[in-house]
Amino acid sequence: MPFLMINLDDLGDCQRGVRQLRERLRRAGVDPQPGDKGGNKTSADKQGPAALPLNQKLHRISQRGVWRFISGIARLDESPRSLAELDEALSLQPNKMRSTKAIFAKLENRFDIRFLRLAEEAGDDEAGNPRYIMPPRIRKAVREMAG
């Protein structure tokens, strides 16, 4: 195994050393998280928020500003709707759901959850926009949390 020497007075050398160490850990099957201080962690902590049970994921998400949109969609009937139709159903300004859906995408990727799924069988709205549905399991859990 090669010996790694790092000049601690050289920021660039330190950064290269950290990259090399991370790569070595990755190859060894260890995924170091930024800010990881070690200690006793559950498997969910080691795997991130995606490993949490659905209720814990939703609890964390409920503390964010988009929760009002998620819970609003869950309270609607199960009819497939386009983003524009969701704007109308939730009495939002035009294109609000389009920008909110982009925020959803970040949370969906981080928590490995889908709030809206493409409803292929529902077709498109009059403007040609695809329609979406909230998966029943997610809808039920959100409704329970929202009360």
Side-chain angles (χ1 to χ4, degrees), residues 85-100:
E85 291 168 338
L86 284 170
D87 284 337
E88 186 177 325
L90 296 172
S91 302
L92 301 173
Q93 60 186 332
N95 293 321
K96 182 66 176 178
M97 277 310 299
R98 185 179 307 256
S99 61
T100 304

Side-chain angles (χ1 to χ4, degrees), residues 94-120:
N95 293 321
K96 182 66 176 178
M97 277 310 299
R98 185 179 307 256
S99 61
T100 304
K101 178 111 172 48
I103 296 168
F104 284 0
K106 285 181 164 182
L107 292 173
E108 289 174 333
N109 290 333
R110 181 169 182 216
F111 288 92
D112 191 28
I113 190 172
R114 297 292 166 258
F115 300 115
L116 296 174
R117 188 182 74 213
L118 191 63
E120 295 174 9

